[in-house]
Amino acid sequence: DTQTDCGSLINADVDSGINYNHSDLDGNMWNGSGCVDENGVSISGGCPNHGWDYISNDNDPMDEDGHGTHVTGILGAEGDNGSGIAGMCWDAQIMAIRSLGPEGGTTADVVNGLDFAVANGAKIVNMSLGGTSYSSIFNSALRDARDAGVLVVVAAGNAGQDLDAIGNS
């Protein structure tokens, strides 16, 4: 009664990157050999490190903070391998997108990361991040993802905020 194979869908994590060499994740990373940028333009050399880094603007989205790797482990750490933890999806295609650095990031970097995920075929995007103000550009990117059939999963209630109170103010 348990589904652990999510390998038919590309799952993207827009966060602080992913340690794609981690023993629980390395076998589940997306093959970025034919990747395109957020505008759909082919990237010379592809994405051999399984995604893109909008903080350093290169194809090495290695996690320098640990948060993206932690979140990705919950989603797609290999299961039944006698090591570490098991994620919800034991078999997966995980795309790494680094839009946040140790000091956070910009809305533009997050939007570019979301657009990159959509342009490269992600069907599920996780964004475990937050912010304090409305952004029409971010809202538009979320709508574009939805219209492309992408499920976007986001953090809610960070810092103990009452989302009902915020939404009604």
Side-chain angles (χ1 to χ4, degrees):
D1 293 349
T2 303
Q3 173 72 30
T4 60
D5 185 349
C6 308
S8 63
L9 298 174
I10 299 171
N11 294 271
D13 188 51
V14 177
D15 204 305
S16 62
I18 299 173
N19 179 354
Y20 46 79
N21 295 320
H22 190 285
S23 61
D24 270 345
L25 299 173
D26 61 353
N28 281 343
M29 297 305 297
W30 170 67
N31 176 353
S33 61
C35 69
V36 297
D37 69 14
E38 66 277 3
N39 298 307
V41 177
S42 180
I43 295 175
S44 178
C47 297
N49 296 310
H50 318 288
W52 194 259
D53 180 342
Y54 283 96
I55 301 300
S56 299
N57 198 32
D58 62 26
N59 65 2
D60 190 8
M62 179 56 77
D63 191 352
E64 296 178 12
D65 176 77
H67 186 261
T69 302
H70 169 80
V71 171
T72 300
I74 295 168
L75 163 74
E78 294 179 52
D80 202 23
N81 64 355
S83 174
I85 65 166
M88 294 178 62
C89 297
W90 295 5
D91 297 299
Q93 292 185 67
I94 302 169
M95 180 187 299
I97 302 169
R98 184 171 178 249
S99 291
L100 303 173
E103 304 300 318
T106 67
T107 300
D109 289 337
V110 172
V111 166
N112 284 335
L114 179 56
D115 290 345
F116 177 92
V118 172
N120 284 283
K123 290 299 173 192
I124 302 171
V125 175
N126 179 73
M127 297 190 302
S128 182
L129 48 85
T132 58
S133 60
Y134 173 80
S135 166
S136 62
I137 296 168
F138 186 50
N139 188 51
S140 179
L142 289 169
R143 288 180 188 272
D144 290 346
R146 180 199 60 203
D147 293 347
V150 177
L151 172 65
V152 179
V153 181
V154 299
N158 287 351
Q161 293 176 326
D162 181 343
L163 298 178
D164 288 331
I166 293 169
N168 293 322
S169 58

